[in-house]
Amino acid sequence: MQIQDLPYSDPGVADARSGPHLLWWLFRNQRGGQLKALLWGLLHFSAVCALPFCVGLAVEAAVKGSAAGLLRTGGLLLLCGICVAVGDTFLHRAAVTNWITAAARLQQLLARKAAHLGSALTRRVAAGEVVAVSTGDVEKIGWFVEAVSRFTAAALTVVLVCVALIVYQPALGVVVAIGLPLVALAVLPLLPRATRRADVQREKAGRATELASDTVAGLRVLRGIGGEELFLTRYRSASQEVRHAAVRSARMWSLISAIQVVVPGLLLIAVVWHGVQLAREGRVTVGELVTVYSAVMVLNYPMRHFEEIAMAFSFSRPSATRAARVLSLQRPTDTEGTGSERTASDGAGTGGTGTGEVPGGDLHDPLTGLRVPARRFTAVVCGDPDAAGELAARLGGHPAEPGPSVLLGDVALNDLPLDRARTAVLVQDKDPVLLSGSLRELLDVPASGAVRAEDALAAAQCGDVLDALAQASLDASDPMDTRVTERGRSLSGGQRQRLALARSLVTDPEVLVLDEPTSAVDSHTEARIAEGLRGLRSGRTTVVLTSSPLLLDRADSVVFLHKGTVAATGPHRELIATDPRYRAVVTRETEDEQDDSARDATTDLTDRRERADDALLGELDRIEENRLEEIEESA
């Protein structure tokens, strides 16, 4: 796999059982690239470590006065230099390719998982953690996956040099062969503590990132309630905790680096001291001593990769654990082991109708008993806003918990591939996100083509939004070319809400589910949106979860859910007059007000009964008097 071939046509199905499993899976999927890096690393490190042998041969040739020997060693030095340059160049190329391709594969997997879970992702994992995984964690994981091949090449080179030294000069080679493992293992006792400190640092950094993300997302609200300084103080505190943790981690790694310098230095001193003693005894020549000394010096270069792989694993392991946690998330409707295989772009799934057609018919939720007639405008009233959000997610095929599937006609949404399910039902939650870009790009979404962008903007009452965007833009002559800032932060909450509604209307799905689509607009605008929504969605199934009387009054029918089940169905005005629970939710009456209303109604009924009784008694008395008069007259 080359960088120019990215992105992957299919990144595969990750082994997300744990962080180490994910790292091993990424490594296995790069066998070709890892083998290239290993071979080029062996060439590079071997050529570097061969230089001392060439220098030793040159010294011996100079002592003997052999011009031919000097020419041969000069040629070997030139060859080693060429191998060092070529090996280093292609090793770096292969290593960077492995790093980037591993990170790209993981980013594609995360993007696919986000598309698969939809809005359920941020309900199960904090947004800050998702951001941390898809940015910094991806780079750290790619670093470790890439470093494995270089470390393997360095370790094999060290073994080969030790064997070569033993063969070349056994007396000194044995000292080096015994000392090098001690050098490599000297930092081993410190690695667990360094890893723990790195984990603490990553955890605190993730919390700080999450806090910063939440603060920025709610900055407008925080300013409105005067809580901006409070959250900034919390972020400063979290930032200082990250700094202290980073300093403690850096101290441990600096100690490891110092040991990696001191211990090889001690080995070098031991080799030189022992070599000098052997040279005095005549057991080694000057060239052999220079060769062994130079080899130990040069071995510090591949030995540094032992420290690097330890650091890479320590930093990447918590990152891989977080990435595996995100990748292991599944929709409650997924069967075990197939959650990562059903993607948003999977058009070849099995189950459902078995065709590419979008199913139609009534929308039915067996869990609550809700039934939405096809091609009708239905409003749903829930006393609990959280229950309304869960119902909206379930109607879109993203239930928070396992349960019976929502049916569209006679087809279960859970049995449909995601692309067909999302084509059939579109859910707009109460906090939709606007991506940065031009207004034209914002409305360029997969759609049926039956609804023009201009009609959708008009139905959503976005005229003042277009004016505001045009005034803020200096170079856009067409309002559709004006730019929308990230998440629409330059717009008010109502303006963002209306643009999101227009985007949903452009899509023109068979079933549109809107969760509180007008909660941030004024009543006059809300009334016009209700009329526009009803007109534009004529002949389509529309479900609006709301408690707004303006929307409820314009719905074909209203369904009232009480304690998770359908409690009443009918026109808004009929329900407001006959169902006290519905009236309490829509008019937001308190229990005391309900009790007062009930007492007033009871008192009024009692008064009316008493007046009726008095009238009846009076009429009976009058009839009796008339009869008595008639009897007297006849007598």
Side-chain angles (χ1 to χ4, degrees):
M1 184 69 180
Q2 299 297 321
I3 296 177
Q4 63 186 7
D5 298 326
L6 294 174
Y8 289 95
S9 58
D10 180 14
V13 180
D15 186 352
R17 289 176 293 173
S18 66
H21 281 96
L22 177 61
L23 293 173
W24 175 240
W25 180 83
L26 288 170
F27 181 83
R28 286 190 292 108
N29 279 271
Q30 285 189 336
R31 282 191 291 265
Q34 296 290 347
L35 181 60
K36 289 181 181 178
L38 175 61
L39 295 177
W40 289 118
L42 284 173
L43 176 63
H44 174 63
F45 292 130
S46 298
V48 169
C49 292
L51 292 174
F53 293 93
C54 297
V55 171
L57 293 175
V59 170
E60 290 184 2
V63 170
K64 296 177 181 179
S66 172
L70 285 173
L71 288 175
R72 285 194 299 272
T73 54
L76 289 175
L77 284 171
L78 177 62
L79 178 61
C80 288
I82 294 173
C83 291
V84 168
V86 172
D88 189 25
T89 300
F90 285 95
L91 171 62
H92 181 73
R93 180 185 179 91
V96 171
T97 300
N98 289 337
W99 189 338
I100 293 178
T101 52
R105 184 189 296 273
L106 187 55
Q107 283 181 326
Q108 281 188 249
L109 290 170
L110 292 169
R112 189 174 72 178
K113 178 60 66 173
H116 178 72
L117 293 175
S119 60
L121 176 61
T122 52
R123 291 198 297 267
R124 301 171 67 180
V125 179
E129 183 173 347
V130 177
V131 173
V133 170
S134 59
T135 54
D137 286 344
V138 166
E139 294 184 3
K140 294 179 180 66
I141 293 171
W143 174 31
F144 173 75
V145 173
E146 170 273 322
V148 171
S149 56
R150 288 190 292 113
F151 164 73
T152 304
L156 291 175
T157 302
V158 170
V159 174
L160 291 174
V161 171
C162 289
V163 173
L165 287 177
I166 292 174
V167 174
Y168 178 71
Q169 177 45 254
L172 292 176
V174 171
V175 176
V176 176
I178 294 174
L180 281 179
L182 297 178
V183 172
L185 299 176
V187 298
L188 195 60
L190 299 178
L191 288 181
R193 183 177 298 181
T195 301
R196 286 195 298 271
R197 292 190 179 185
D199 290 348
V200 171
Q201 179 190 350
R202 293 295 171 274
E203 181 181 355
K204 292 184 179 296
R207 290 178 182 174
T209 302
E210 182 178 332
L211 180 60
S213 176
D214 294 341
T215 302
V216 172
L219 193 57
R220 183 185 294 272
V221 177
L222 292 176
R223 287 174 175 171
I225 63 176
E228 182 180 4
E229 188 59 35
L230 174 62
F231 272 77
L232 288 177
T233 301
R234 290 181 180 177
Y235 179 73
R236 291 190 191 100
S237 176
S239 177
Q240 289 301 313
E241 291 182 4
V242 174
R243 184 179 67 83
H244 290 307
V247 170
R248 294 184 72 248
S249 179
R251 286 173 180 168
M252 183 57 63
W253 288 111
S254 64
L255 177 60
I256 292 175
S257 299
I259 293 175
Q260 288 288 86
V261 173
V262 172
V263 176
L266 294 176
L267 175 62
L268 185 62
I269 292 173
V271 170
V272 171
W273 180 82
H274 186 57
V276 169
Q277 299 299 323
L278 295 177
R280 286 180 177 177
E281 298 173 1
R283 296 171 57 184
V284 300
T285 64
V286 175
E288 292 173 339
L289 180 58
V290 171
T291 298
V292 176
Y293 170 80
S294 301
V296 175
M297 286 288 294
V298 172
L299 281 175
N300 284 329
Y301 173 55
M303 288 293 293
R304 286 205 300 268
H305 290 76
F306 286 74
E307 177 189 356
E308 181 187 4
I309 196 65
M311 291 183 64
F313 180 72
S314 299
F315 280 81
S316 66
R317 188 176 61 82
S319 298
T321 300
R322 283 196 293 266
R325 176 170 176 259
V326 174
L327 292 175
S328 64
L329 295 176
Q330 295 184 10
R331 299 166 68 210
T333 57
D334 291 336
T335 57
E336 186 176 357
T338 62
S340 298
E341 297 173 6
R342 289 186 63 190
T343 67
S345 59
D346 180 15
T350 59
T353 61
T355 67
E357 298 179 357
V358 176
D362 295 350
L363 187 67
H364 176 56
D365 178 23
L367 189 63
T368 60
L370 172 67
R371 181 174 292 276
V372 178
R375 296 180 293 279
R376 302 272 288 176
F377 182 9
T378 303
V380 179
V381 178
C382 296
D384 183 4
D386 293 335
E390 293 175 1
L391 175 60
R394 193 163 57 251
L395 293 177
H398 293 282
E401 297 178 356
S405 173
V406 171
L407 301 176
L408 183 57
D410 57 353
V411 178
L413 287 182
N414 294 352
D415 294 338
L416 290 175
L418 275 181
D419 62 333
R420 289 172 55 200
R422 287 173 173 171
T423 302
V425 182
L426 174 66
V427 177
Q428 177 182 305
D429 60 25
K430 63 182 63 178
D431 188 22
V433 176
L434 300 181
L435 301 179
S436 60
S438 68
L439 186 57
R440 193 184 308 278
E441 293 170 341
L442 177 68
L443 299 179
D444 184 16
V445 292
S448 67
V451 178
R452 299 185 306 160
E454 294 78 5
D455 296 335
L457 290 169
Q461 301 298 311
C462 294
D464 63 320
V465 183
L466 297 178
D467 295 339
L469 291 173
Q471 292 176 1
S473 177
L474 301 177
D475 54 353
S477 57
D478 187 349
M480 297 297 292
D481 294 328
T482 56
R483 304 288 296 178
V484 178
T485 57
E486 183 183 2
R487 299 179 69 91
R489 290 195 176 98
S490 60
L491 303 173
S492 67
Q495 291 173 332
R496 289 196 302 270
Q497 196 173 58
R498 281 177 282 163
L499 281 181
L501 177 59
R503 180 178 58 187
S504 299
L505 293 175
V506 166
T507 304
D508 190 38
E510 181 65 28
V511 179
L512 177 61
V513 180
L514 303 172
D515 186 6
E516 294 290 353
T518 59
S519 59
V521 301
D522 59 82
S523 57
H524 298 289
T525 305
E526 187 177 28
R528 293 194 294 269
I529 290 175
E531 292 296 339
L533 182 62
R534 183 182 177 90
L536 197 63
R537 291 289 298 173
S538 177
R540 293 286 199 180
T541 306
T542 306
V543 185
V544 180
L545 287 90
T546 182
S547 59
S548 167
L550 291 172
L551 287 173
L552 296 172
D553 193 41
R554 285 162 177 79
D556 294 325
S557 64
V558 178
V559 180
F560 174 53
L561 269 66
H562 182 67
K563 295 183 178 180
T565 58
V566 173
T569 302
H572 165 64
R573 299 191 181 189
E574 177 182 323
L575 293 178
I576 204 77
T578 60
D579 195 317
R581 296 172 301 180
Y582 176 82
R583 183 171 58 250
V585 173
V586 174
T587 62
R588 295 173 176 81
E589 290 182 350
T590 63
E591 293 183 0
D592 292 338
E593 291 172 338
Q594 294 181 50
D595 294 340
D596 291 341
S597 299
R599 283 194 297 270
D600 292 342
T602 302
T603 302
D604 182 62
L605 180 61
T606 303
D607 291 341
R608 282 186 292 173
R609 286 178 176 175
E610 290 177 353
R611 287 194 297 270
D613 291 343
D614 292 342
L616 180 60
L617 290 174
E619 183 66 19
L620 292 174
D621 290 342
R622 186 181 63 79
I623 293 173
E624 185 67 24
E625 290 177 356
N626 291 335
R627 285 183 178 179
L628 290 174
E629 291 177 356
E630 291 176 356
I631 293 172
E632 291 176 354
E633 290 177 356
S634 60

